[in-house]
Amino acid sequence: MPSTHTTSPEASRTLLTLTPGHVDLAMLRRIQAGGVQLSLDPSVRDGMLRAEAAVRHIVENDQVVYGINTGFGKLASTRIGNDHLAELQRNLVLSHSVGTGEPLAAPVVRMVLATKAVSLARGHSGVRPALVDALLALFNAGVVPSIPCKGSVGASGDLAPLAHMACVLIGEGEATLADGTVVGGAEAMRSIGLEPFVLGPKEGLALLNGTQVSTALALHGLFGAEDVFASSLMSGALSLEAIQGSIKPFDARIHAARGQLGQIAVAGAVRTLLDGSEIVPSHADCGRVQDPYSVRCIPQVMGACLDNLAHAARVLVIEANAASDNPLVFVDTGEVISGGNFHAEPVAFAADIIALAISEVGAIAERRIALLLDTGLSGLPPFLVRDGGLNSGFMIAQVTAAALASENKSLAHPASVDSLPTSANQEDHVSMATFAGRRLGDMVNNTAVVVGIEAMAAAQGIELKRGLKSSPLVEAEFSNIRQKVAFLERDRYLAPDIEAMRQWALKAELPAALLDILPSRA
């Protein structure tokens, strides 16, 4: 496991030590959030130095090896003289810096820097340890290279976005300093006490090849999905209490009889949430036989989502630790072997699976909003407002939720099934993993709005029937929601309330019963 300790009070940041192969999800979540410093496990330096020496040996002995002294892609058969190798690597970085679109968010770039450092430190890339040190120095100084969000097909790695990151190392491109100032690459390097690099053999290729951008985007989506997942379990419990639904479908025996792990975990979490509720036993003999699926089947639907998030998490944590450039150096035999670890198909599939889970979390939450507003099913006043007709209550808030849930259905279409050949058909099948990961950010935000609206509507429903109290955990969250949004006595400007609840859903500051079942917090 990676070691963790606290730096001096002056630094006021936790120091995390990166050991390639052992960087776990919890550490990646902390890296994304920022407020930490990174160092490299000293034990890996010898492997990097040996791989660098192997590359140097190839050059000094005039051996022809792809990526070291040849052209790239379709130009792999073109031999490059030793006196042009530095120019070759610089040209590679500059020619591949063709990204477009808004810059990637700082949390994503932080993970790109960290995972690229981990990948290079595996000792299969043949680069100088100084390059890895520079990536970590940029991270530790809060310098964020400007990486356009579009322009990668997810094989041969995230070439364009990683080229923009590499540009800063050679004094080109742009970066944002910790104080928010945007500067050129050379100034960014000077801000960490370094001069721009003159890249050695294979170093430009090693920086550009790899799945780090796709992986960082997918991890960013995973962590957001986890947060809205946990919040939706709370909003679902609030809805169950608001409609005076039955707790019986959450009986542990039902879920043990099926055996699905996520389903068992979700049912247990909801039981813990509702433990001690006065509302639950008050309607044990109310005559309602079964609740609608959106309440009764929370364990089955949300449990399946949890299982898929857990699978995606396993794939992504492996990829975050992987050597995914090409070719790879194997120092035990001195061989440099070309392969395809840059192909991000595992990441694309993982991101698509996360997209399905995010979409379903929002879809079932939207159906519970509709349930709450339907007086025939919920027993609550129409549209959750006392003076209906004069007031529309939550009528149009549900329309917003429906619009976003529907948008997520389109975004959930798998990106991994698409491919367009590049590089004169040398790269004839690609993963589209970068878009697969990037679209998760929009989906998480959409679902956060839906879940936030549900929690707000459910709190309204509970208050409209106020008498008995729910469980201590649910009552505590009800009070938290009421600090953010007031009871809707009559129609008012609801957009600020919806935004406040979107933020509530994303922060997921919730009981341990919910957070402990998440892959990155287990």
Side-chain angles (χ1 to χ4, degrees):
M1 293 294 292
S3 63
T4 302
H5 63 277
T6 304
T7 62
S8 64
E10 294 84 334
S12 72
R13 287 187 175 188
T14 299
L15 178 65
L16 304 180
T17 301
L18 301 177
T19 303
H22 299 281
V23 178
D24 61 20
L25 277 174
M27 178 178 275
L28 289 164
R29 187 182 260 275
R30 296 181 71 185
I31 289 169
Q32 173 197 246
V36 298
Q37 296 271 294
L38 300 180
S39 67
L40 191 63
D41 186 335
S43 68
V44 304
R45 290 192 176 273
D46 180 63
M48 284 192 286
L49 289 170
R50 291 173 65 200
E52 181 201 353
V55 171
R56 203 165 52 244
H57 177 81
I58 288 169
V59 173
E60 291 170 353
N61 288 272
D62 288 325
Q63 300 173 27
V64 179
V65 176
Y66 171 73
I68 295 177
N69 47 21
T70 72
F72 307 104
K74 195 72 171 180
L75 302 174
S77 59
T78 303
R79 170 75 160 88
I80 308 298
N82 288 357
D83 55 339
H84 290 293
L85 293 185
E87 183 181 3
L88 172 70
Q89 297 298 316
R90 180 178 179 84
N91 285 350
L92 179 70
V93 173
L94 295 176
S95 67
H96 284 56
S97 299
V98 293
T100 187
E102 294 297 314
L104 293 175
V108 175
V109 178
R110 281 194 286 266
M111 283 194 290
V112 172
L113 291 171
T115 55
K116 176 51 80 174
V118 168
S119 179
L120 296 178
R122 289 294 298 262
H124 293 298
S125 298
V127 305
R128 287 168 287 173
L131 276 179
V132 177
D133 294 339
L135 291 171
L136 297 182
L138 289 170
F139 181 101
N140 291 336
V143 178
V144 179
S146 182
I147 302 176
C149 66
K150 299 181 182 181
S152 173
V153 296
S156 299
D158 292 309
L159 294 173
L162 287 172
H164 284 274
M165 180 204 73
C167 267
V168 174
L169 295 175
I170 66 171
E172 300 289 346
E174 289 184 337
T176 302
L177 303 183
D179 64 3
T181 305
V182 178
V183 299
E187 186 174 346
M189 291 295 286
R190 285 193 289 270
S191 76
I192 60 171
L194 294 176
E195 290 298 316
F197 282 91
V198 175
L199 297 175
K202 195 183 176 294
E203 289 184 335
L205 184 60
L207 287 166
L208 271 57
N209 255 183
T211 62
Q212 287 75 39
V213 173
S214 297
T215 302
L217 285 164
L219 283 166
H220 187 60
L222 171 69
F223 299 144
E226 287 184 335
D227 291 340
V228 296
F229 175 92
S231 297
S232 72
L233 290 185
M234 177 59 77
S235 66
L238 287 162
S239 291
L240 186 148
E241 291 288 70
I243 68 165
Q244 297 184 334
S246 175
I247 193 67
K248 289 181 181 179
F250 297 84
D251 189 301
R253 292 169 292 183
I254 294 173
H255 309 291
R258 191 179 203 183
Q260 295 289 353
L261 296 180
Q263 180 177 326
I264 291 168
V266 167
V270 174
R271 288 196 307 273
T272 299
L273 279 184
L274 294 174
D275 186 36
S277 169
E278 297 174 356
I279 299 173
V280 167
S282 72
H283 53 88
D285 301 312
C286 67
R288 180 186 290 171
V289 178
Q290 292 183 327
D291 294 320
Y293 290 177
S294 60
V295 173
R296 192 194 338 160
C297 297
I298 286 174
Q300 288 79 7
V301 175
M302 297 295 285
C305 292
L306 181 60
D307 284 336
N308 277 298
L309 291 177
H311 170 71
R314 286 192 293 272
V315 172
L316 293 176
V317 77
I318 291 170
E319 196 68 16
N321 284 276
S324 58
D325 64 293
N326 180 61
L328 294 179
V329 180
F330 295 91
V331 296
D332 53 343
T333 62
E335 292 177 277
V336 180
I337 306 175
S338 288
N341 280 3
F342 51 69
H343 200 297
E345 194 79 351
V347 181
F349 276 125
D352 285 345
I353 289 169
I354 295 168
L356 294 174
I358 295 170
S359 183
E360 280 297 270
V361 169
I364 195 170
E366 186 279 326
R367 287 293 79 204
R368 289 193 297 266
I369 299 169
L371 167 61
L372 289 165
L373 272 56
D374 186 337
T375 187
L377 291 173
S378 69
L380 294 162
F383 303 108
L384 300 175
V385 68
R386 289 195 176 104
D387 195 0
L390 178 62
N391 295 289
S392 295
F394 283 77
M395 180 190 296
I396 308 304
Q398 187 258 329
V399 173
T400 295
L404 297 179
S406 181
E407 182 177 310
N408 274 355
K409 292 175 187 177
S410 295
L411 288 171
H413 183 278
S416 57
V417 300
D418 187 27
S419 177
L420 281 175
T422 60
S423 192
N425 283 309
Q426 173 74 12
E427 297 159 7
D428 58 351
H429 181 278
V430 298
S431 72
M432 299 299 178
T434 324
F435 169 67
R438 177 165 54 84
R439 88 345 184 134
L440 298 178
D442 285 341
M443 296 185 72
V444 166
N445 266 306
N446 287 345
T447 298
V449 173
V450 176
V451 169
I453 290 172
E454 183 197 359
M456 182 169 61
Q460 178 85 359
I462 288 174
E463 197 155 357
L464 284 166
K465 283 186 177 178
R466 225 5 161 180
L468 299 174
K469 288 189 175 183
S470 184
S471 67
L473 290 177
V474 171
E475 286 294 333
E477 201 55 45
F478 174 86
S479 297
N480 184 29
I481 291 169
R482 277 287 165 261
Q483 291 174 15
K484 301 177 188 302
V485 297
F487 179 78
L488 188 67
E489 189 63 52
R490 59 183 59 86
D491 286 348
R492 64 171 184 260
Y493 185 49
L494 277 179
D497 292 344
I498 291 173
E499 173 57 20
M501 292 307 296
R502 181 189 72 85
Q503 294 183 23
W504 170 85
L506 288 173
K507 287 182 180 177
E509 295 172 347
L510 298 166
L514 299 182
L515 300 182
D516 288 350
I517 65 174
L518 301 177
S520 73
R521 303 195 191 229

mmCIF file of all heavy atoms in Angstrom, residues 191-223:
data_model
loop_
_atom_site.group_PDB
_atom_site.id
_atom_site.type_symbol
_atom_site.label_atom_id
_atom_site.label_comp_id
_atom_site.label_asym_id
_atom_site.label_seq_id
_atom_site.Cartn_x
_atom_site.Cartn_y
_atom_site.Cartn_z
ATOM 1 N N SER A 191 8.944 28.583 -12.999
ATOM 2 C CA SER A 191 8.253 28.763 -11.717
ATOM 3 C C SER A 191 8.515 27.601 -10.768
ATOM 4 O O SER A 191 8.332 27.744 -9.545
ATOM 5 C CB SER A 191 6.745 28.921 -11.947
ATOM 6 O OG SER A 191 6.123 27.672 -12.237
ATOM 7 N N ILE A 192 8.935 26.446 -11.297
ATOM 8 C CA ILE A 192 9.295 25.318 -10.432
ATOM 9 C C ILE A 192 10.809 25.126 -10.384
ATOM 10 O O ILE A 192 11.295 24.076 -9.956
ATOM 11 C CB ILE A 192 8.597 24.020 -10.893
ATOM 12 C CG1 ILE A 192 8.987 23.643 -12.321
ATOM 13 C CG2 ILE A 192 7.074 24.151 -10.772
ATOM 14 C CD1 ILE A 192 8.501 22.266 -12.749
ATOM 15 N N GLY A 193 11.544 26.136 -10.854
ATOM 16 C CA GLY A 193 12.993 26.118 -10.746
ATOM 17 C C GLY A 193 13.697 25.274 -11.778
ATOM 18 O O GLY A 193 14.833 24.840 -11.560
ATOM 19 N N LEU A 194 13.060 25.037 -12.927
ATOM 20 C CA LEU A 194 13.658 24.207 -13.967
ATOM 21 C C LEU A 194 13.682 24.942 -15.296
ATOM 22 O O LEU A 194 12.850 25.813 -15.555
ATOM 23 C CB LEU A 194 12.862 22.907 -14.151
ATOM 24 C CG LEU A 194 12.854 21.926 -12.982
ATOM 25 C CD1 LEU A 194 11.938 20.754 -13.304
ATOM 26 C CD2 LEU A 194 14.255 21.433 -12.656
ATOM 27 N N GLU A 195 14.640 24.588 -16.119
ATOM 28 C CA GLU A 195 14.660 25.034 -17.502
ATOM 29 C C GLU A 195 13.930 24.004 -18.360
ATOM 30 O O GLU A 195 13.881 22.820 -18.005
ATOM 31 C CB GLU A 195 16.105 25.203 -17.989
ATOM 32 C CG GLU A 195 16.831 26.385 -17.357
ATOM 33 C CD GLU A 195 16.160 27.716 -17.688
ATOM 34 O OE1 GLU A 195 15.789 27.917 -18.874
ATOM 35 O OE2 GLU A 195 16.008 28.541 -16.764
ATOM 36 N N PRO A 196 13.374 24.425 -19.486
ATOM 37 C CA PRO A 196 12.705 23.458 -20.363
ATOM 38 C C PRO A 196 13.646 22.334 -20.786
ATOM 39 O O PRO A 196 14.856 22.531 -20.957
ATOM 40 C CB PRO A 196 12.286 24.316 -21.561
ATOM 41 C CG PRO A 196 12.133 25.695 -21.006
ATOM 42 C CD PRO A 196 13.208 25.820 -19.967
ATOM 43 N N PHE A 197 13.099 21.133 -20.941
ATOM 44 C CA PHE A 197 13.882 19.960 -21.307
ATOM 45 C C PHE A 197 14.219 19.947 -22.792
ATOM 46 O O PHE A 197 13.417 20.369 -23.628
ATOM 47 C CB PHE A 197 13.101 18.672 -20.993
ATOM 48 C CG PHE A 197 13.109 18.296 -19.541
ATOM 49 C CD1 PHE A 197 12.113 18.753 -18.687
ATOM 50 C CD2 PHE A 197 14.099 17.477 -19.028
ATOM 51 C CE1 PHE A 197 12.109 18.398 -17.350
ATOM 52 C CE2 PHE A 197 14.112 17.119 -17.683
ATOM 53 C CZ PHE A 197 13.107 17.581 -16.843
ATOM 54 N N VAL A 198 15.390 19.450 -23.104
ATOM 55 C CA VAL A 198 15.710 18.964 -24.443
ATOM 56 C C VAL A 198 15.531 17.454 -24.361
ATOM 57 O O VAL A 198 16.269 16.768 -23.649
ATOM 58 C CB VAL A 198 17.143 19.326 -24.861
ATOM 59 C CG1 VAL A 198 17.466 18.689 -26.211
ATOM 60 C CG2 VAL A 198 17.322 20.832 -24.910
ATOM 61 N N LEU A 199 14.543 16.952 -25.048
ATOM 62 C CA LEU A 199 14.163 15.555 -24.878
ATOM 63 C C LEU A 199 15.185 14.609 -25.489
ATOM 64 O O LEU A 199 15.724 14.857 -26.574
ATOM 65 C CB LEU A 199 12.784 15.308 -25.504
ATOM 66 C CG LEU A 199 11.623 16.078 -24.864
ATOM 67 C CD1 LEU A 199 10.341 15.851 -25.644
ATOM 68 C CD2 LEU A 199 11.431 15.690 -23.402
ATOM 69 N N GLY A 200 15.423 13.515 -24.783
ATOM 70 C CA GLY A 200 16.321 12.487 -25.279
ATOM 71 C C GLY A 200 15.579 11.452 -26.093
ATOM 72 O O GLY A 200 14.355 11.539 -26.289
ATOM 73 N N PRO A 201 16.296 10.424 -26.589
ATOM 74 C CA PRO A 201 15.667 9.376 -27.401
ATOM 75 C C PRO A 201 14.483 8.739 -26.678
ATOM 76 O O PRO A 201 14.575 8.408 -25.500
ATOM 77 C CB PRO A 201 16.807 8.370 -27.612
ATOM 78 C CG PRO A 201 18.055 9.179 -27.462
ATOM 79 C CD PRO A 201 17.747 10.223 -26.420
ATOM 80 N N LYS A 202 13.383 8.633 -27.393
ATOM 81 C CA LYS A 202 12.137 7.995 -26.937
ATOM 82 C C LYS A 202 11.345 8.823 -25.926
ATOM 83 O O LYS A 202 10.176 8.516 -25.644
ATOM 84 C CB LYS A 202 12.405 6.589 -26.366
ATOM 85 C CG LYS A 202 11.123 5.758 -26.225
ATOM 86 C CD LYS A 202 11.388 4.407 -25.592
ATOM 87 C CE LYS A 202 10.100 3.644 -25.378
ATOM 88 N NZ LYS A 202 9.216 4.267 -24.396
ATOM 89 N N GLU A 203 11.909 9.883 -25.354
ATOM 90 C CA GLU A 203 11.226 10.576 -24.262
ATOM 91 C C GLU A 203 9.952 11.278 -24.716
ATOM 92 O O GLU A 203 8.935 11.249 -23.999
ATOM 93 C CB GLU A 203 12.181 11.554 -23.576
ATOM 94 C CG GLU A 203 13.246 10.842 -22.768
ATOM 95 C CD GLU A 203 14.153 11.785 -21.995
ATOM 96 O OE1 GLU A 203 14.303 12.959 -22.407
ATOM 97 O OE2 GLU A 203 14.732 11.351 -20.988
ATOM 98 N N GLY A 204 9.978 11.896 -25.883
ATOM 99 C CA GLY A 204 8.756 12.527 -26.368
ATOM 100 C C GLY A 204 7.663 11.503 -26.604
ATOM 101 O O GLY A 204 6.502 11.699 -26.224
ATOM 102 N N LEU A 205 8.035 10.381 -27.206
ATOM 103 C CA LEU A 205 7.065 9.319 -27.484
ATOM 104 C C LEU A 205 6.501 8.740 -26.195
ATOM 105 O O LEU A 205 5.302 8.468 -26.094
ATOM 106 C CB LEU A 205 7.726 8.226 -28.317
ATOM 107 C CG LEU A 205 6.818 7.082 -28.772
ATOM 108 C CD1 LEU A 205 5.678 7.612 -29.639
ATOM 109 C CD2 LEU A 205 7.635 6.037 -29.532
ATOM 110 N N ALA A 206 7.347 8.550 -25.197
ATOM 111 C CA ALA A 206 6.887 8.004 -23.922
ATOM 112 C C ALA A 206 5.907 8.947 -23.235
ATOM 113 O O ALA A 206 4.953 8.507 -22.582
ATOM 114 C CB ALA A 206 8.080 7.729 -23.006
ATOM 115 N N LEU A 207 6.139 10.250 -23.379
ATOM 116 C CA LEU A 207 5.228 11.222 -22.780
ATOM 117 C C LEU A 207 3.880 11.231 -23.488
ATOM 118 O O LEU A 207 2.826 11.407 -22.847
ATOM 119 C CB LEU A 207 5.846 12.626 -22.826
ATOM 120 C CG LEU A 207 6.992 12.897 -21.855
ATOM 121 C CD1 LEU A 207 7.716 14.182 -22.241
ATOM 122 C CD2 LEU A 207 6.474 12.983 -20.413
ATOM 123 N N LEU A 208 3.885 11.062 -24.812
ATOM 124 C CA LEU A 208 2.649 11.178 -25.592
ATOM 125 C C LEU A 208 1.842 9.883 -25.615
ATOM 126 O O LEU A 208 0.613 9.911 -25.614
ATOM 127 C CB LEU A 208 2.964 11.578 -27.032
ATOM 128 C CG LEU A 208 3.035 13.074 -27.327
ATOM 129 C CD1 LEU A 208 4.048 13.791 -26.461
ATOM 130 C CD2 LEU A 208 3.354 13.282 -28.807
ATOM 131 N N ASN A 209 2.529 8.749 -25.706
ATOM 132 C CA ASN A 209 1.826 7.464 -25.684
ATOM 133 C C ASN A 209 1.284 7.218 -24.285
ATOM 134 O O ASN A 209 1.931 7.538 -23.292
ATOM 135 C CB ASN A 209 2.808 6.346 -26.038
ATOM 136 C CG ASN A 209 2.608 5.810 -27.443
ATOM 137 O OD1 ASN A 209 3.284 4.890 -27.821
ATOM 138 N ND2 ASN A 209 1.698 6.360 -28.201
ATOM 139 N N GLY A 210 0.131 6.616 -24.199
ATOM 140 C CA GLY A 210 -0.416 6.276 -22.890
ATOM 141 C C GLY A 210 -1.883 6.650 -22.781
ATOM 142 O O GLY A 210 -2.407 7.451 -23.567
ATOM 143 N N THR A 211 -2.523 6.084 -21.793
ATOM 144 C CA THR A 211 -3.970 6.253 -21.610
ATOM 145 C C THR A 211 -4.311 7.171 -20.446
ATOM 146 O O THR A 211 -5.423 7.132 -19.920
ATOM 147 C CB THR A 211 -4.626 4.876 -21.374
ATOM 148 O OG1 THR A 211 -4.086 4.304 -20.159
ATOM 149 C CG2 THR A 211 -4.375 3.930 -22.527
ATOM 150 N N GLN A 212 -3.364 8.011 -20.040
ATOM 151 C CA GLN A 212 -3.555 8.748 -18.789
ATOM 152 C C GLN A 212 -4.702 9.760 -18.835
ATOM 153 O O GLN A 212 -5.385 9.969 -17.829
ATOM 154 C CB GLN A 212 -2.255 9.455 -18.390
ATOM 155 C CG GLN A 212 -1.176 8.527 -17.875
ATOM 156 C CD GLN A 212 -0.508 7.730 -18.971
ATOM 157 O OE1 GLN A 212 -0.254 8.238 -20.055
ATOM 158 N NE2 GLN A 212 -0.226 6.465 -18.707
ATOM 159 N N VAL A 213 -4.939 10.398 -19.974
ATOM 160 C CA VAL A 213 -6.031 11.377 -20.044
ATOM 161 C C VAL A 213 -7.377 10.665 -20.018
ATOM 162 O O VAL A 213 -8.290 11.047 -19.269
ATOM 163 C CB VAL A 213 -5.888 12.273 -21.291
ATOM 164 C CG1 VAL A 213 -7.109 13.181 -21.450
ATOM 165 C CG2 VAL A 213 -4.623 13.126 -21.183
ATOM 166 N N SER A 214 -7.523 9.624 -20.825
ATOM 167 C CA SER A 214 -8.759 8.843 -20.790
ATOM 168 C C SER A 214 -9.027 8.302 -19.394
ATOM 169 O O SER A 214 -10.163 8.359 -18.892
ATOM 170 C CB SER A 214 -8.668 7.669 -21.768
ATOM 171 O OG SER A 214 -8.541 8.101 -23.096
ATOM 172 N N THR A 215 -7.983 7.783 -18.766
ATOM 173 C CA THR A 215 -8.134 7.199 -17.435
ATOM 174 C C THR A 215 -8.506 8.258 -16.407
ATOM 175 O O THR A 215 -9.373 8.037 -15.552
ATOM 176 C CB THR A 215 -6.843 6.477 -17.026
ATOM 177 O OG1 THR A 215 -6.538 5.478 -18.000
ATOM 178 C CG2 THR A 215 -6.982 5.818 -15.665
ATOM 179 N N ALA A 216 -7.855 9.416 -16.484
ATOM 180 C CA ALA A 216 -8.164 10.492 -15.532
ATOM 181 C C ALA A 216 -9.605 10.965 -15.699
ATOM 182 O O ALA A 216 -10.314 11.207 -14.715
ATOM 183 C CB ALA A 216 -7.196 11.653 -15.728
ATOM 184 N N LEU A 217 -10.057 11.093 -16.947
ATOM 185 C CA LEU A 217 -11.443 11.504 -17.184
ATOM 186 C C LEU A 217 -12.422 10.466 -16.653
ATOM 187 O O LEU A 217 -13.449 10.801 -16.048
ATOM 188 C CB LEU A 217 -11.675 11.727 -18.678
ATOM 189 C CG LEU A 217 -11.080 13.013 -19.266
ATOM 190 C CD1 LEU A 217 -11.027 12.931 -20.785
ATOM 191 C CD2 LEU A 217 -11.884 14.236 -18.823
ATOM 192 N N ALA A 218 -12.119 9.193 -16.872
ATOM 193 C CA ALA A 218 -13.009 8.138 -16.392
ATOM 194 C C ALA A 218 -13.017 8.076 -14.866
ATOM 195 O O ALA A 218 -14.067 7.865 -14.245
ATOM 196 C CB ALA A 218 -12.590 6.793 -16.982
ATOM 197 N N LEU A 219 -11.857 8.251 -14.250
ATOM 198 C CA LEU A 219 -11.798 8.271 -12.789
ATOM 199 C C LEU A 219 -12.576 9.457 -12.231
ATOM 200 O O LEU A 219 -13.291 9.326 -11.224
ATOM 201 C CB LEU A 219 -10.344 8.335 -12.323
ATOM 202 C CG LEU A 219 -9.564 7.021 -12.392
ATOM 203 C CD1 LEU A 219 -8.070 7.290 -12.228
ATOM 204 C CD2 LEU A 219 -10.054 6.038 -11.328
ATOM 205 N N HIS A 220 -12.431 10.609 -12.869
ATOM 206 C CA HIS A 220 -13.192 11.793 -12.447
ATOM 207 C C HIS A 220 -14.694 11.487 -12.512
ATOM 208 O O HIS A 220 -15.447 11.827 -11.595
ATOM 209 C CB HIS A 220 -12.833 12.965 -13.354
ATOM 210 C CG HIS A 220 -13.417 14.273 -12.938
ATOM 211 N ND1 HIS A 220 -13.163 14.859 -11.717
ATOM 212 C CD2 HIS A 220 -14.269 15.112 -13.592
ATOM 213 C CE1 HIS A 220 -13.814 16.015 -11.635
ATOM 214 N NE2 HIS A 220 -14.494 16.171 -12.760
ATOM 215 N N GLY A 221 -15.107 10.820 -13.582
ATOM 216 C CA GLY A 221 -16.505 10.429 -13.697
ATOM 217 C C GLY A 221 -16.906 9.405 -12.653
ATOM 218 O O GLY A 221 -18.007 9.468 -12.096
ATOM 219 N N LEU A 222 -16.027 8.458 -12.366
ATOM 220 C CA LEU A 222 -16.313 7.447 -11.351
ATOM 221 C C LEU A 222 -16.544 8.084 -9.991
ATOM 222 O O LEU A 222 -17.522 7.757 -9.299
ATOM 223 C CB LEU A 222 -15.161 6.446 -11.272
ATOM 224 C CG LEU A 222 -15.227 5.453 -10.106
ATOM 225 C CD1 LEU A 222 -16.370 4.471 -10.303
ATOM 226 C CD2 LEU A 222 -13.900 4.716 -9.947
ATOM 227 N N PHE A 223 -15.651 8.985 -9.599
ATOM 228 C CA PHE A 223 -15.790 9.600 -8.271
ATOM 229 C C PHE A 223 -17.072 10.431 -8.180
ATOM 230 O O PHE A 223 -17.761 10.420 -7.162
ATOM 231 C CB PHE A 223 -14.565 10.454 -7.958
ATOM 232 C CG PHE A 223 -13.273 9.680 -7.916
ATOM 233 C CD1 PHE A 223 -12.083 10.240 -8.373
ATOM 234 C CD2 PHE A 223 -13.236 8.380 -7.443
ATOM 235 C CE1 PHE A 223 -10.897 9.525 -8.350
ATOM 236 C CE2 PHE A 223 -12.052 7.652 -7.413
ATOM 237 C CZ PHE A 223 -10.875 8.228 -7.868
#
